[in-house]
Every structure is written in structure tokens, then in C-alpha cells.
Amino acid sequence: MVSRSILGVAFYGKATVIAQGVKIGAEGPVTIDNCQIGSMAELKGGYFKGSVFLAKATMGLGAHVREACILEEEANGAHCVGLKQTILFPFCDPGEPHQFL
């Protein structure tokens, strides 16, 4: 297992790839395990495992993203959003309770 920790951000896994311009940990600690993160994506805080974040995808503080998730270009998750085996299409923005009813 490959691991690296920098100022509250922990990286794990040989499959982890981080493109240029990515913002990680702007609002809290982050753990990234075998994720692929596209350019200009933002992971503000939380746990991310085995998922793909395309260009300009964003997840807020307290996010919990488990294996097999894909956030397409400019898809966003608000704070404290949990995802598993999910595909968020471009410009999708889950997070408000009424969006899940």
C-alpha cells in the first residue's frame, strides 16, 4: 500500500491519480484511497475511496464517497453527502433533503 500524508490529507493506493489544479482539504481533513481526480476538482473534506472525480467536480466538507462512484464534469456534492455506487451527471448537485424525496 502506498501512503502519504500532508497537512491533514492522507493519500493511499497505487491507483490514486491527482491532476493539476486540484484543491484538497480546503475545509477539513481528507482521506483519499485509490481515486482518480481530474483537473480543477475540489474535495473540501471527508473520505473518498475507489472513485473518479472528473474536471471541476466538487465535494463539500464531511463527504463520504465509497467505491464505484463517478462524478462527471462540474457535478457537486454539498457538505455531509454520502455516495456509494453512484454516477452524478454533469451539473448535478445533491445535498438538500428535498432532492432525495
Side-chain angles (χ1 to χ4, degrees), residues 1 3 5 7 10-11 13-14 18 23 28 34 36 39 41 44-45 47 49-50 59 61 69 77 81 84-86 98:
M1 175 181 282
S3 64
S5 181
L7 301 174
F11 303 96
K14 292 181 180 180
I18 300 173
K23 294 181 183 177
N34 284 319
Q36 294 75 47
S39 64
K44 296 179 181 180
Y47 177 78
K49 182 174 183 178
M59 290 299 293
L61 177 64
C69 292
V81 169
K84 60 181 177 179
Q85 298 179 346
T86 302
H98 68 271

mmCIF file of all heavy atoms in Angstrom, residues 1 3 5 7 10-11 13-14 18 23 28 34 36 39 41 44-45 47 49-50 59 61 69 77 81 84-86 98:
data_model
loop_
_atom_site.group_PDB
_atom_site.id
_atom_site.type_symbol
_atom_site.label_atom_id
_atom_site.label_comp_id
_atom_site.label_asym_id
_atom_site.label_seq_id
_atom_site.Cartn_x
_atom_site.Cartn_y
_atom_site.Cartn_z
ATOM 1 N N MET A 1 0.845 -1.184 0.000
ATOM 2 C CA MET A 1 0.000 0.000 0.000
ATOM 3 C C MET A 1 0.887 1.243 0.000
ATOM 4 O O MET A 1 1.794 1.379 0.793
ATOM 5 C CB MET A 1 -0.905 -0.008 1.231
ATOM 6 C CG MET A 1 -1.734 1.245 1.368
ATOM 7 S SD MET A 1 -2.781 1.290 2.820
ATOM 8 C CE MET A 1 -4.081 0.239 2.279
ATOM 9 N N SER A 3 1.252 5.136 0.716
ATOM 10 C CA SER A 3 0.563 6.136 1.522
ATOM 11 C C SER A 3 1.409 7.390 1.641
ATOM 12 O O SER A 3 2.624 7.353 1.566
ATOM 13 C CB SER A 3 0.229 5.589 2.903
ATOM 14 O OG SER A 3 1.417 5.312 3.610
ATOM 15 N N SER A 5 0.935 11.476 3.690
ATOM 16 C CA SER A 5 0.085 12.399 4.431
ATOM 17 C C SER A 5 0.730 13.772 4.465
ATOM 18 O O SER A 5 1.913 13.901 4.766
ATOM 19 C CB SER A 5 -0.137 11.890 5.861
ATOM 20 O OG SER A 5 -0.974 12.753 6.560
ATOM 21 N N LEU A 7 -0.348 17.661 5.864
ATOM 22 C CA LEU A 7 -1.236 18.640 6.483
ATOM 23 C C LEU A 7 -2.715 18.225 6.508
ATOM 24 O O LEU A 7 -3.581 18.898 5.960
ATOM 25 C CB LEU A 7 -1.102 19.994 5.774
ATOM 26 C CG LEU A 7 0.292 20.618 5.784
ATOM 27 C CD1 LEU A 7 0.329 21.870 4.943
ATOM 28 C CD2 LEU A 7 0.733 20.910 7.199
ATOM 29 N N ALA A 10 -4.514 12.546 3.700
ATOM 30 C CA ALA A 10 -3.856 11.247 3.591
ATOM 31 C C ALA A 10 -4.166 10.636 2.231
ATOM 32 O O ALA A 10 -5.324 10.591 1.818
ATOM 33 C CB ALA A 10 -4.328 10.317 4.703
ATOM 34 N N PHE A 11 -3.118 10.175 1.554
ATOM 35 C CA PHE A 11 -3.258 9.532 0.252
ATOM 36 C C PHE A 11 -2.883 8.065 0.393
ATOM 37 O O PHE A 11 -1.842 7.748 0.967
ATOM 38 C CB PHE A 11 -2.311 10.161 -0.780
ATOM 39 C CG PHE A 11 -2.496 11.629 -0.966
ATOM 40 C CD1 PHE A 11 -1.702 12.531 -0.288
ATOM 41 C CD2 PHE A 11 -3.463 12.111 -1.830
ATOM 42 C CE1 PHE A 11 -1.866 13.899 -0.462
ATOM 43 C CE2 PHE A 11 -3.633 13.466 -2.020
ATOM 44 C CZ PHE A 11 -2.838 14.360 -1.334
ATOM 45 N N GLY A 13 -3.014 4.042 -1.816
ATOM 46 C CA GLY A 13 -3.302 3.269 -3.008
ATOM 47 C C GLY A 13 -2.469 3.616 -4.216
ATOM 48 O O GLY A 13 -2.233 4.771 -4.510
ATOM 49 N N LYS A 14 -2.069 2.572 -4.922
ATOM 50 C CA LYS A 14 -1.273 2.743 -6.128
ATOM 51 C C LYS A 14 -2.071 3.334 -7.282
ATOM 52 O O LYS A 14 -1.511 3.874 -8.219
ATOM 53 C CB LYS A 14 -0.682 1.399 -6.558
ATOM 54 C CG LYS A 14 0.347 0.872 -5.602
ATOM 55 C CD LYS A 14 0.911 -0.446 -6.073
ATOM 56 C CE LYS A 14 1.952 -0.944 -5.091
ATOM 57 N NZ LYS A 14 2.543 -2.218 -5.505
ATOM 58 N N ILE A 18 -3.850 12.293 -9.232
ATOM 59 C CA ILE A 18 -4.351 13.637 -8.968
ATOM 60 C C ILE A 18 -3.817 14.577 -10.048
ATOM 61 O O ILE A 18 -2.612 14.734 -10.198
ATOM 62 C CB ILE A 18 -3.918 14.115 -7.567
ATOM 63 C CG1 ILE A 18 -4.474 13.156 -6.509
ATOM 64 C CG2 ILE A 18 -4.389 15.540 -7.315
ATOM 65 C CD1 ILE A 18 -3.989 13.422 -5.111
ATOM 66 N N LYS A 23 -7.915 21.074 -5.712
ATOM 67 C CA LYS A 23 -7.905 21.629 -4.354
ATOM 68 C C LYS A 23 -8.388 20.541 -3.396
ATOM 69 O O LYS A 23 -9.499 20.037 -3.555
ATOM 70 C CB LYS A 23 -8.805 22.852 -4.260
ATOM 71 C CG LYS A 23 -8.321 24.023 -5.079
ATOM 72 C CD LYS A 23 -9.251 25.204 -4.925
ATOM 73 C CE LYS A 23 -8.796 26.367 -5.801
ATOM 74 N NZ LYS A 23 -9.731 27.497 -5.701
ATOM 75 N N GLY A 28 -11.353 20.906 5.685
ATOM 76 C CA GLY A 28 -11.136 19.900 6.721
ATOM 77 C C GLY A 28 -10.242 18.780 6.230
ATOM 78 O O GLY A 28 -9.801 18.775 5.078
ATOM 79 N N ASN A 34 -7.166 5.254 -3.556
ATOM 80 C CA ASN A 34 -7.373 4.724 -4.909
ATOM 81 C C ASN A 34 -8.431 5.491 -5.706
ATOM 82 O O ASN A 34 -9.328 4.903 -6.298
ATOM 83 C CB ASN A 34 -7.713 3.226 -4.866
ATOM 84 C CG ASN A 34 -6.495 2.388 -4.586
ATOM 85 O OD1 ASN A 34 -5.413 2.650 -5.105
ATOM 86 N ND2 ASN A 34 -6.653 1.385 -3.752
ATOM 87 N N GLN A 36 -9.213 8.670 -8.698
ATOM 88 C CA GLN A 36 -8.669 9.434 -9.801
ATOM 89 C C GLN A 36 -9.387 10.780 -9.802
ATOM 90 O O GLN A 36 -10.616 10.827 -9.885
ATOM 91 C CB GLN A 36 -8.879 8.707 -11.135
ATOM 92 C CG GLN A 36 -8.099 7.395 -11.253
ATOM 93 C CD GLN A 36 -8.713 6.271 -10.431
ATOM 94 O OE1 GLN A 36 -9.913 6.056 -10.478
ATOM 95 N NE2 GLN A 36 -7.890 5.551 -9.688
ATOM 96 N N SER A 39 -8.639 17.568 -13.295
ATOM 97 C CA SER A 39 -8.178 18.940 -13.105
ATOM 98 C C SER A 39 -9.276 19.839 -12.546
ATOM 99 O O SER A 39 -10.448 19.697 -12.868
ATOM 100 C CB SER A 39 -7.663 19.511 -14.424
ATOM 101 O OG SER A 39 -8.705 19.584 -15.359
ATOM 102 N N ALA A 41 -10.763 19.887 -9.828
ATOM 103 C CA ALA A 41 -11.739 19.297 -8.906
ATOM 104 C C ALA A 41 -11.436 19.785 -7.494
ATOM 105 O O ALA A 41 -10.308 20.184 -7.191
ATOM 106 C CB ALA A 41 -11.680 17.778 -8.970
ATOM 107 N N LYS A 44 -13.261 19.088 -0.506
ATOM 108 C CA LYS A 44 -13.073 20.023 0.602
ATOM 109 C C LYS A 44 -12.836 19.367 1.949
ATOM 110 O O LYS A 44 -12.225 19.947 2.828
ATOM 111 C CB LYS A 44 -14.269 20.967 0.665
ATOM 112 C CG LYS A 44 -14.358 21.839 -0.578
ATOM 113 C CD LYS A 44 -15.539 22.769 -0.544
ATOM 114 C CE LYS A 44 -15.578 23.598 -1.815
ATOM 115 N NZ LYS A 44 -16.714 24.508 -1.825
ATOM 116 N N GLY A 45 -13.323 18.136 2.131
ATOM 117 C CA GLY A 45 -13.095 17.427 3.383
ATOM 118 C C GLY A 45 -13.898 16.147 3.423
ATOM 119 O O GLY A 45 -15.039 16.119 2.981
ATOM 120 N N TYR A 47 -13.935 11.538 3.287
ATOM 121 C CA TYR A 47 -13.327 10.251 2.946
ATOM 122 C C TYR A 47 -13.754 9.860 1.536
ATOM 123 O O TYR A 47 -14.949 9.852 1.214
ATOM 124 C CB TYR A 47 -13.795 9.198 3.949
ATOM 125 C CG TYR A 47 -13.294 7.813 3.665
ATOM 126 C CD1 TYR A 47 -11.999 7.449 3.994
ATOM 127 C CD2 TYR A 47 -14.123 6.865 3.080
ATOM 128 C CE1 TYR A 47 -11.537 6.172 3.740
ATOM 129 C CE2 TYR A 47 -13.670 5.586 2.828
ATOM 130 C CZ TYR A 47 -12.383 5.245 3.153
ATOM 131 O OH TYR A 47 -11.925 3.983 2.894
ATOM 132 N N LYS A 49 -13.003 6.913 -1.549
ATOM 133 C CA LYS A 49 -12.353 5.636 -1.844
ATOM 134 C C LYS A 49 -12.846 5.064 -3.168
ATOM 135 O O LYS A 49 -14.044 4.998 -3.423
ATOM 136 C CB LYS A 49 -12.635 4.623 -0.737
ATOM 137 C CG LYS A 49 -11.944 3.293 -0.966
ATOM 138 C CD LYS A 49 -12.113 2.349 0.200
ATOM 139 C CE LYS A 49 -11.330 1.069 -0.069
ATOM 140 N NZ LYS A 49 -11.420 0.137 1.030
ATOM 141 N N GLY A 50 -11.899 4.660 -4.013
ATOM 142 C CA GLY A 50 -12.194 3.919 -5.233
ATOM 143 C C GLY A 50 -13.158 4.600 -6.180
ATOM 144 O O GLY A 50 -13.986 3.935 -6.799
ATOM 145 N N MET A 59 -16.824 18.199 -3.920
ATOM 146 C CA MET A 59 -17.484 17.596 -2.769
ATOM 147 C C MET A 59 -17.179 18.446 -1.547
ATOM 148 O O MET A 59 -16.040 18.841 -1.315
ATOM 149 C CB MET A 59 -17.003 16.164 -2.530
ATOM 150 C CG MET A 59 -17.466 15.172 -3.574
ATOM 151 S SD MET A 59 -19.254 14.976 -3.711
ATOM 152 C CE MET A 59 -19.668 14.228 -2.168
ATOM 153 N N LEU A 61 -17.403 19.602 2.711
ATOM 154 C CA LEU A 61 -16.873 19.100 3.970
ATOM 155 C C LEU A 61 -17.728 17.951 4.504
ATOM 156 O O LEU A 61 -18.951 17.998 4.438
ATOM 157 C CB LEU A 61 -16.843 20.233 4.999
ATOM 158 C CG LEU A 61 -16.371 19.864 6.404
ATOM 159 C CD1 LEU A 61 -14.921 19.420 6.376
ATOM 160 C CD2 LEU A 61 -16.554 21.026 7.337
ATOM 161 N N CYS A 69 -17.988 5.180 -7.497
ATOM 162 C CA CYS A 69 -18.701 6.422 -7.798
ATOM 163 C C CYS A 69 -17.969 7.178 -8.900
ATOM 164 O O CYS A 69 -16.746 7.143 -8.984
ATOM 165 C CB CYS A 69 -18.797 7.319 -6.562
ATOM 166 S SG CYS A 69 -19.848 6.647 -5.274
ATOM 167 N N GLY A 77 -21.292 17.870 -4.755
ATOM 168 C CA GLY A 77 -21.960 17.328 -3.580
ATOM 169 C C GLY A 77 -21.819 18.332 -2.447
ATOM 170 O O GLY A 77 -20.729 18.851 -2.203
ATOM 171 N N VAL A 81 -22.518 14.843 2.362
ATOM 172 C CA VAL A 81 -23.191 13.958 1.410
ATOM 173 C C VAL A 81 -22.452 12.631 1.370
ATOM 174 O O VAL A 81 -21.232 12.586 1.304
ATOM 175 C CB VAL A 81 -23.225 14.593 0.003
ATOM 176 C CG1 VAL A 81 -23.673 13.594 -1.050
ATOM 177 C CG2 VAL A 81 -24.132 15.800 0.004
ATOM 178 N N LYS A 84 -22.508 5.981 -2.654
ATOM 179 C CA LYS A 84 -21.930 4.669 -2.935
ATOM 180 C C LYS A 84 -22.508 4.166 -4.246
ATOM 181 O O LYS A 84 -23.697 4.315 -4.508
ATOM 182 C CB LYS A 84 -22.196 3.688 -1.805
ATOM 183 C CG LYS A 84 -23.646 3.424 -1.506
ATOM 184 C CD LYS A 84 -23.786 2.457 -0.355
ATOM 185 C CE LYS A 84 -25.258 2.269 -0.020
ATOM 186 N NZ LYS A 84 -25.453 1.332 1.060
ATOM 187 N N GLN A 85 -21.650 3.636 -5.094
ATOM 188 C CA GLN A 85 -22.029 3.121 -6.406
ATOM 189 C C GLN A 85 -22.962 4.089 -7.133
ATOM 190 O O GLN A 85 -24.055 3.730 -7.558
ATOM 191 C CB GLN A 85 -22.670 1.741 -6.263
ATOM 192 C CG GLN A 85 -21.728 0.732 -5.670
ATOM 193 C CD GLN A 85 -22.353 -0.636 -5.496
ATOM 194 O OE1 GLN A 85 -23.554 -0.806 -5.577
ATOM 195 N NE2 GLN A 85 -21.517 -1.617 -5.248
ATOM 196 N N THR A 86 -22.510 5.321 -7.271
ATOM 197 C CA THR A 86 -23.343 6.407 -7.813
ATOM 198 C C THR A 86 -22.637 7.090 -8.978
ATOM 199 O O THR A 86 -21.432 7.283 -8.942
ATOM 200 C CB THR A 86 -23.604 7.459 -6.711
ATOM 201 O OG1 THR A 86 -24.226 6.822 -5.612
ATOM 202 C CG2 THR A 86 -24.476 8.590 -7.213
ATOM 203 N N HIS A 98 -34.806 17.800 0.095
ATOM 204 C CA HIS A 98 -35.918 17.684 -0.869
ATOM 205 C C HIS A 98 -35.513 17.053 -2.190
ATOM 206 O O HIS A 98 -36.331 16.568 -2.926
ATOM 207 C CB HIS A 98 -36.573 19.055 -1.101
ATOM 208 C CG HIS A 98 -35.696 20.007 -1.822
ATOM 209 N ND1 HIS A 98 -34.814 20.845 -1.176
ATOM 210 C CD2 HIS A 98 -35.568 20.271 -3.149
ATOM 211 C CE1 HIS A 98 -34.178 21.582 -2.068
ATOM 212 N NE2 HIS A 98 -34.620 21.251 -3.268
#
